[in-house]
Amino acid sequence: MKFYKLCIPFLLSLSFIGCATPAKAPLSANSDPEATIHSASGLIEEATRKQYDRVAPTHFQRAVDYRNAAKEKFSKGSDSAKVLSDAAIALQAIEDVKRIGEENSVVLFSVLEARKFAMAAEAPKYQTQLFRAADRGLGNMGEKMETGSYKVDAKELADLEKQFSVAEIGARKILELGKVKTSIEKAASNGAKKKVPGVYQSALAKMSSAEQSIDIHPRNPAGYELALGDSKSSAQKLTEVLSIANSKSVTEEVAITIWTQGQQLEASKSALSQANIDSEKLRIETKDESDTALAAKDARLVRQSASIAT
């Protein structure tokens, strides 16, 4: 009984905290509810672009929740005062997000940059577990920043940046080489390892080279585009040579010879087609020049005739 009596004040204090109304931004009673909601939405989008949603996650979620509540009440035609009350909480929460984000933006600069590049490489889609793990770590750090209890830890920041970078590079490889890998795996399932082992190994080597180039230049496509192009061409060659080997029941050497002849024929056709295009273009340009010269000559004759008549 004594234990319960001791617990009552503690439970009451928790109840009071849980029911406390969140802080509100100052708003005039005559404020336009729709415009105020729109303003809150714009600030939420801006905070998201700056990634402050992860720097101050609790405040950010409060801003979103109360903005949504205000939108719902407005759509249902609720009293303007109730709509503005929720909107004011959302505005204050997002203002706190902005403040906390700006206070910690320098400390988190490298981490947020790494996260931005990871998102650009679609890491949330292609490296879901790695990205979410890093994002949880950033969110936990952000919660400490919200309460002012965070102490700068260089190693923790470096580890978090690395996690996002690893997710970025992994996603970039899938984004750039996903089709190549699928093509090579399909060829392997169709017997490439035995029927065209040389071409198969070459395709694997080209893909590995492209992966290494992405490792070195993950944020500079110019640094890996040559290796990427080689890898795509090699995978295409594997598919075509294997198709010849399977359809004609020939050795790898013969299949490569047939494929090479086909490539040469296509190149000749392409060159001939381009030559015809260039020839026709030259003919049209020559005709235009002739027509222009003839028109100029006619004009001179007309002027001369007019002069004689005068």
Side-chain angles (χ1 to χ4, degrees):
M1 187 72 178
K2 184 177 180 181
F3 172 77
Y4 290 112
K5 287 181 179 180
L6 290 172
C7 287
I8 288 174
F10 175 70
L11 293 173
L12 287 174
S13 68
L14 288 178
S15 175
F16 176 76
I17 293 172
C19 295
T21 302
K24 299 180 181 181
L27 278 180
S28 168
N30 297 323
S31 297
D32 182 339
E34 187 174 18
T36 304
I37 293 170
H38 182 73
S39 177
S41 295
L43 291 171
I44 287 171
E45 289 176 5
E46 181 184 0
T48 303
R49 284 195 299 272
K50 293 181 176 180
Q51 303 183 87
Y52 289 169
D53 55 322
R54 305 308 300 148
V55 183
T58 306
H59 289 79
F60 182 83
Q61 190 59 52
R62 181 182 299 139
V64 172
D65 289 344
Y66 276 93
R67 185 279 311 271
N68 291 345
K71 285 178 68 175
E72 185 177 359
K73 289 177 181 178
F74 179 77
S75 67
K76 291 181 177 180
S78 299
D79 183 70
S80 293
K82 293 181 179 179
V83 175
L84 289 173
S85 177
D86 284 346
I89 294 173
L91 285 172
Q92 183 57 55
I94 203 63
E95 182 60 34
D96 290 336
V97 170
K98 180 181 177 183
R99 172 181 55 78
I100 295 166
E102 290 176 348
E103 288 174 353
N104 295 280
S105 60
V106 174
V107 171
L108 289 174
F109 177 79
S110 296
V111 174
L112 294 180
E113 279 291 289
R115 183 177 186 269
K116 180 180 72 176
F117 281 113
M119 292 180 69
E122 299 185 46
K125 176 181 178 180
Y126 294 115
Q127 293 290 323
T128 305
Q129 292 185 346
L130 286 175
F131 184 85
R132 285 181 178 176
D135 229 25
R136 281 195 299 272
L138 178 57
N140 293 336
M141 190 181 291
E143 289 175 358
K144 293 178 182 178
M145 290 176 173
E146 287 180 302
T147 62
S149 63
Y150 176 72
K151 294 181 180 180
V152 177
D153 184 330
K155 185 179 183 303
E156 182 182 21
L157 290 168
D159 287 345
L160 199 53
E161 179 184 354
K162 184 177 180 180
Q163 288 178 50
F164 280 120
S165 294
V166 170
E168 174 202 352
I169 292 172
R172 180 71 63 192
K173 288 178 181 178
I174 295 173
L175 193 63
E176 299 286 13
L177 290 164
K179 291 182 179 179
V180 169
K181 185 177 181 181
T182 299
S183 179
I184 293 174
E185 289 175 347
K186 183 178 179 181
S189 67
N190 288 332
K193 293 180 182 180
K194 290 184 178 180
K195 295 179 180 178
V196 287
V199 181
Y200 175 73
Q201 289 300 325
S202 177
L204 286 178
K206 294 288 187 181
M207 183 174 70
S208 178
S209 178
E211 288 177 337
Q212 290 173 17
S213 293
I214 292 174
D215 283 332
I216 298 169
H217 309 284
R219 298 170 188 172
N220 179 22
Y224 62 75
E225 63 181 6
L226 181 60
L228 180 62
D230 287 344
S231 180
K232 290 179 178 179
S233 297
S234 185
Q236 181 65 27
K237 177 181 178 180
L238 171 62
T239 299
E240 293 172 0
V241 171
L242 178 62
S243 176
I244 294 170
N246 283 335
S247 63
K248 297 183 180 298
S249 299
V250 295
T251 64
E252 178 178 30
E253 184 178 357
V254 173
I256 291 174
T257 299
I258 296 172
W259 177 84
T260 302
Q261 291 172 346
Q263 293 293 301
Q264 291 171 343
L265 180 60
E266 287 299 318
S268 297
K269 288 180 179 178
S270 179
L272 180 60
S273 176
Q274 186 61 49
N276 289 335
I277 292 172
D278 292 341
S279 176
E280 179 63 16
K281 183 179 178 182
L282 180 61
R283 186 189 68 77
I284 293 172
E285 289 175 351
T286 303
K287 182 178 182 301
D288 289 343
E289 290 174 359
S290 299
D291 290 345
T292 301
L294 183 61
K297 182 178 180 181
D298 289 343
R300 285 197 303 272
L301 291 173
V302 170
R303 287 195 298 271
Q304 289 174 0
S305 299
S307 177
I308 293 172
T310 302

